Amino acid sequence: MFEVAEQPCRLRIRMSSELKGIDAACKLIGAFLQKLCLERYAFDVELLTREALINAIVHGNGNDRRKTIQYGISMEGDCLTIEVEDSGNGFNWPAFLQREPELTSECGRGVLLMREYSTGMAYNARGNRLVLSKLIS
Amino acid sequence: MTEIKRVGDRAIVKPCRDLVASVVQEFKKELRSLIAEEPAEIAIDLTGVDMIDSVGLGVLIATHNSISKIGGKLTVMNASENIYGLLKTMRLDRHFGVMSA
């Protein structure tokens, strides 16, 4: 499943939990940013999108293709907002956010990347919905 | 898709695709096979690579860890401005050589 709904300043995608869906979503998001003349943010937004979706697919939905993910990106004022919600049970994000990966660790950099490349990052209490913001200058 | 060129005991590897979760496992396998040949250096040429996500970064670190164990080294070259910035931000330039395009 891969469903798209687009408005001038908002793009919504409902997709099944498959990594190849991330690539399809990123193509649409690149075109969406181009329409808003925000190409200069394309790398940062794609990276944020990829990390949020990887976590939703792999950790949130446990790679279960039957489980869906809701993705949204919108532009309002001087802020781009990315929202990702998975169908999983959530996780103990306050504990997780304090972790720093070991320098030679081969995994565990997704959250750190999102922290570095976003202006703001917030989970709901359950931990299955993430909102990332990116201020546009 | 990956281009591998051997020059003496050095291997230059050009993935020719983005190093992202959906496709990077195949590249990881290719690198593992290459490490089994025990080269002195693996140089990954990022020409044409526009995106690396955390899974792709994990593959670079795994390669660095494996080749270091056998006394070799990893270098990354021709990184785009964005990817060079990403590797610096994640402090990976402290582990292996990173050269911009």
Side-chain angles (χ1 to χ4, degrees), chain B residues 8-101:
Chain B
D9 55 2
R10 183 172 187 247
I12 302 166
V13 184
K14 210 170 165 183
C16 303
R17 60 193 182 276
D18 289 349
L19 303 181
V20 295
S22 59
V23 294
V24 80
Q25 293 309 322
E26 185 61 34
F27 185 54
K28 188 176 184 177
K29 280 184 202 163
E30 291 167 339
L31 287 168
R32 267 194 204 144
S33 302
L34 195 56
I35 289 166
E37 297 175 18
E38 300 193 356
E41 181 185 359
I42 291 179
I44 299 181
D45 182 347
L46 295 180
T47 302
V49 176
D50 297 320
M51 177 55 66
I52 303 181
D53 64 16
S54 60
V55 184
L57 292 178
V59 170
L60 296 183
I61 295 162
T63 304
H64 163 73
N65 291 343
S66 300
I67 199 166
S68 297
K69 280 182 195 161
I70 56 168
K73 69 169 184 174
L74 170 72
T75 54
V76 171
M77 58 189 198
N78 291 323
S80 69
E81 190 182 339
N82 283 324
I83 289 176
Y84 184 74
L86 170 65
L87 296 171
K88 296 275 280 188
T89 300
M90 300 310 286
R91 301 177 188 172
L92 296 185
D93 57 323
R94 294 183 184 181
H95 294 300
F96 45 80
V98 177
M99 287 164 280
S100 59

Side-chain angles (χ1 to χ4, degrees), chain A residues 48-88:
Chain A
L48 289 170
T49 295
R50 285 186 178 279
E51 297 308 327
L53 288 175
I54 289 169
N55 282 350
I57 291 170
V58 177
H59 303 297
N61 286 352
N63 286 306
D64 184 344
R65 290 179 187 187
R66 294 165 300 177
K67 291 185 177 173
T68 57
I69 288 162
Q70 308 268 6
Y71 173 92
I73 181 168
S74 57
M75 177 70 191
E76 196 174 326
D78 59 355
C79 190
L80 266 170
T81 302
I82 295 169
E83 296 165 70
V84 176
E85 183 169 349
D86 62 58
S87 315

Side-chain angles (χ1 to χ4, degrees), chain A residues 13-61:
Chain A
I13 299 168
R14 188 164 175 250
M15 56 189 268
S16 51
S17 300
E18 293 177 88
L19 292 174
K20 65 182 181 187
I22 300 177
D23 301 333
C26 285
K27 275 188 188 170
L28 291 172
I29 293 155
F32 172 76
L33 292 174
Q34 199 171 15
K35 282 179 202 163
L36 295 175
C37 300
L38 293 173
E39 297 97 324
R40 66 190 182 283
Y41 296 98
F43 182 85
D44 292 12
V45 170
E46 180 175 339
L47 189 59
L48 289 170
T49 295
R50 285 186 178 279
E51 297 308 327
L53 288 175
I54 289 169
N55 282 350
I57 291 170
V58 177
H59 303 297
N61 286 352

